[in-house]
């Protein structure tokens, strides 16, 4: 993690993410940092000292099964928060957050702002929403194996804004399938009338 001393870029990033709206009072002394590909931002062996709001880039969040198999949980992109689980548990997370593409983040020191954050109701409600979403994503990955078709329909219904899938790369990682496999399923569901293609790499769910 490398600190970036650029006040204009910091303020621009805060505005883009509308971060001030997540707090009753914006008084957390944020900073800007960049993270390189392959860097781990959280993990069982990492003491998480910050809340990191992703401005740009891509971070893969995953766990590991008892047999060592990687279990994808989510992809953190613009607007995602890293460090929420550690903030609530006050211990290291059992999930890994690994930078896939160079990532820019707005950070907040949890140690310096702990008392303030613990008493900010609006922030705590936001935190609850973020964590409940991660719990759901983890539970979906650990359910008994189902077909890619079933997983895709559930993914579009439960996780995609407006039931619209945008981006094949993200979906393949979430569904743990190959790009070719996903494209075959998308074509089949289009032919069945369950989904409609709305643009390049974009599909809308038709049925409930």
């Amino acid at each position: 993690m490398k600190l970036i001393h650029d006040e204009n870029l910091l303020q621009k990033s805060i505005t883009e993410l509308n971060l001030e709206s997540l707090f009753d009072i914006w008084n957390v002394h944020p900073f800007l940092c960049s993270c390189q590909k392959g860097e781990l931002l959280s993990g069982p062996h990492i003491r998480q000292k910050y809340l990191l709001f992703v401005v740009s880039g891509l971070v893969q969040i995953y766990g590991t099964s008892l047999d060592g198999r990687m279990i994808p949980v989510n992809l953190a992109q613009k607007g995602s928060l890293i460090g929420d689980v550690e903030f609530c548990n006050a211990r290291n997370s059992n999930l890994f957050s690994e930078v896939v593409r160079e990532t820019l983040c707005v950070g907040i020191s949890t140690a310096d702002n702990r008392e303030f954050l613990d008493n900010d109701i609006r922030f705590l409600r936001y935190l609850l929403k973020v964590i409940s979403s991660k719990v759901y994503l983890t539970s979906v990955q650990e359910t008994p194996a189902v077909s890619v078709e079933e997983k895709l329909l559930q993914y579009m219904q439960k996780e995609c804004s407006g039931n619209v899938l945008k981006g094949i790369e993200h979906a393949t990682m979430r569904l743990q399938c190959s790009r070719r496999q996903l494209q075959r399923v998308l074509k089949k569901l289009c032919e069945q009338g369950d989904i409609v293609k709305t643009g390049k790499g974009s599909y809308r769910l038709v049925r409930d």
Side-chain angles (χ1 to χ4, degrees):
M1 181 187 298
K2 179 181 178 181
L3 292 179
I4 299 178
H5 302 285
D6 186 330
E7 188 63 26
N8 290 331
L9 182 56
L10 172 60
Q11 293 305 318
K12 179 182 177 182
S13 300
I14 290 171
T15 300
E16 283 185 5
L17 298 181
N18 198 22
L19 291 186
E20 294 186 31
S21 69
L22 303 180
F23 301 82
D24 286 325
I25 301 175
W26 179 248
N27 186 31
V28 290
H29 308 99
F31 60 88
L32 197 64
C33 63
S34 64
C35 308
Q36 302 303 308
K37 180 179 179 180
E39 186 175 348
L40 286 175
L41 303 184
S42 67
H45 62 294
I46 298 175
R47 183 183 177 188
Q48 183 59 267
K49 302 177 182 179
Y50 314 106
L51 291 169
L52 298 173
F53 296 88
V54 178
V55 180
S56 63
L58 191 66
V59 179
Q60 182 178 16
I61 300 174
Y62 61 90
T64 55
S65 64
L66 293 177
D67 59 5
R69 179 173 53 89
M70 186 182 80
I71 304 174
V73 173
N74 200 12
L75 284 176
Q77 303 180 82
K78 184 174 182 177
S80 299
L81 174 60
I82 296 170
D84 48 312
V85 175
E86 295 84 350
F87 177 85
C88 293
N89 288 336
R91 62 175 184 267
N92 296 347
S93 172
N94 62 340
L95 296 177
F96 295 87
S97 299
E98 181 177 346
V99 178
V100 176
R101 200 161 55 228
E102 185 175 357
T103 299
L104 183 69
C105 297
V106 172
I108 295 173
S109 168
T110 52
D112 295 342
N113 298 282
R114 185 84 210 193
E115 183 176 357
F116 171 78
L117 294 173
D118 280 343
N119 291 282
D120 191 297
I121 301 302
R122 183 178 297 183
F123 168 71
L124 293 176
R125 285 175 177 167
Y126 164 73
L127 206 60
L128 180 61
K129 180 180 178 181
V130 171
I131 291 178
S132 62
S133 175
K134 286 184 179 178
V135 169
Y136 165 75
L137 293 175
T138 304
S139 67
V140 168
Q141 292 297 339
E142 294 178 348
T143 54
V146 295
S147 69
V148 175
E149 182 178 329
E150 292 173 309
K151 290 166 69 175
L152 174 60
L153 290 171
Q154 183 179 40
Y155 169 71
M156 293 181 70
Q157 183 179 30
K158 300 292 186 181
E159 300 180 37
C160 296
S161 177
N163 297 147
V164 177
L165 181 153
K166 293 183 178 180
I168 300 298
E169 178 185 7
H170 192 167
T172 56
M173 296 185 73
R174 283 291 295 112
L175 302 177
Q176 300 183 57
C177 65
S178 69
R179 185 183 185 91
R180 180 174 297 180
Q181 189 178 17
L182 179 58
Q183 287 174 330
R184 284 200 301 265
V185 171
L186 288 168
K187 181 181 179 181
K188 177 183 177 181
L189 292 176
C190 282
E191 292 172 347
Q192 293 177 176
D194 293 319
I195 64 175
V196 175
K197 187 170 184 178
T198 57
K200 185 176 181 180
S202 178
Y203 298 82
R204 177 173 56 83
L205 181 66
V206 174
R207 75 180 193 183
D208 295 329

